[in-house]
Structures are given as structure tokens and as C-alpha cells.
Amino acid sequence: MKKLIISVLILLAIVTSFYGCRKNDNPKLPENIETGVYPLFVQDTTGDFLIQEMDSFKTSFDVDLYFPNSVMPQKMDIVVVKKDSSQVEDFGTVKLLKADVTTFPTKISVTGPQLAQLFGMSTSQVKNSTTFRIGADITLPNGKVLVAFQQGVTGTDTLNLEPYGADALNLPNANPTITYPKVCPLFMDSLANVENGGDLVVDDPDFWEDTYNVTATQEGSDVIVLTGWLGLPNAVVKVTIDERRQKASVAKQVYSSTLPTTPYHNPAVAGSGTVNACDNSITLSLENTVDEGSFGTVTVTVKRP
């Protein structure tokens, strides 16, 4: 009998402890931003989130102030660093995207050809897994400049320093930089393996402890229907695909009246994950539940045979 059957179910009725917030629990302002001048990058949801095609990539974002009612900087210069697939981010090579931003928020647009040109490349030279990270060099009212991407030296080693100090990201909803990775373009028919009859494999080593075949079909423009879940002929699980973000989500759904070989009822899955368009696989973090409780969350991969 499978390991999951002898595992103790996580009961749905769990006693949860709640902790109130205290004044002393508020985060301390990171070093170098005590004045309150701290950038906030906000993605424009109408633009591209990922670089699927360098030639057609086009997006925009707002540069704002995390503390909108605090001191205004003299200006911000918007800068970019690049990381190749086999390297770390090159903080030693910083390119200027837009100078002298003095109004906040300000919307800035950027394209794939523009990013490639900044680094002396053609769009075809930008390989998958390359990332472009955008930040802001801040000129304070007193003329001091806080550099987004800088390097430090320890002994004989040169290392990248976190923008504005290591504590900066601990601020709630902080987003002091914004990153655009180059990924493979996603095609739904390829993800569903339509050309091969929808044949896919589910690798579930921790819950069902098995690898089994499913058949994929498309429902509308953004849903892949997997038939044969857990090897049950009529068990169906639907996965919604966000092509622009290359993310996947599974709304809670019951796929059978009973969990095979167990006394448990109405097994269901729910969760989310990511899509790898390069190998047409979906990696999902799924919680497995039944009426009697939960088996917890495991990682499941849906891929081609």
C-alpha cells in the first residue's frame, strides 16, 4: 500500500495561533534610505512580463517612490544590468536606460531591441535564460548618489551588493528593481502535445508515488484538460495557463468519488505552478485533499513522454 495511505492526514480542523502586531515589530528602515528616498517599480499589466521574443518584446513600468510623502530626490537615473545564462549578474557593466527622472510616478517603456542594443548585441544574440534587471541610481537632495548596482571586494573576491542594502527587500511590498527574463515562447498546442494526440506523463513521486500517462486536450484558449489523473480513466483535472506570465493554476476540483485503495472520499487537488516552454513541461505545487482531511502539498510535473 502506498506511503500516503499510512501517513497521518493533516486534519482540516487545525488550531491556529494568531499574533498581534506591536509597535516594535515594524521594520527598521534599511541603511542609506533613512531619508525615505526609495524607488518602487510597478509593472504595467498591459505590457509583457517575460521576453518570449526579443524582436517583439514591449513593456512598460512605473517608477515611483516607496515613501510618497517623504523627501523628493533630485532625480533618478534608470539603469540596467544583464545576466547571461551561464553567469551571475554583471554589476560591473551598468547601462543607462533613461536619465533624469524627476516626476513620480513616471511611466517608462522598453523594448527587446532597445535592451539588446544597450549591451551591444543583436536580438538574435540574446539567449534563453538571459535576464535584464532594471534599477534606479538615486540623487538625494544633498547631491549624494545612491547607486543601484554596485560591487564590493572581500579579500581577492569581487561580489555584487544588494541594491540599497540587504535590508531593503524586507520592507513590505518592496520592489526596488524589476527583472525581465528571456524565455522560450509558449505555444498552447505544443504544451498539450496536440501533434502526438495529447500524450503526456504525470510524475508524482511524493503523493501517488508513481508516474502515469494522461491525455491532454485544450478547452478554450487557456485551459489544458488532463484525463486519466492517478491512472483513473475518467478522472479529469483542468490546468489554467497564463501564457503571458508562463504560470499555471489549478482551481480546487474533485476528480473522483473515492481515492483508490483507500476509505477516503472526494479526492481533490488545488494549487499553482510554472510552465517551462523550452521543454513543454508544467511544474505544479498541489495540495491533495479528501473529505476527511489533507495530505499536504507536493510537487508534480506534467511533461511529454
Side-chain angles (χ1 to χ4, degrees), residues 101-119:
V101 176
T102 57
T103 302
F104 304 95
T106 288
K107 186 176 294 294
I108 295 176
S109 298
V110 63
T111 67
Q114 184 180 6
L115 288 172
Q117 185 178 21
L118 282 177
F119 291 89

Side-chain angles (χ1 to χ4, degrees), residues 175-187:
N175 198 35
T177 64
I178 193 165
T179 301
Y180 297 104
K182 173 68 177 70
V183 298
C184 293
L186 174 60
F187 302 101

Side-chain angles (χ1 to χ4, degrees), residues 59-81:
T59 197
S60 60
F61 53 86
D62 286 337
V63 181
D64 205 350
L65 300 176
Y66 183 87
F67 302 103
N69 298 319
S70 189
V71 177
M72 288 285 291
Q74 286 189 31
K75 67 168 185 172
M76 290 188 190
D77 294 327
I78 310 306
V79 294
V80 190
V81 292

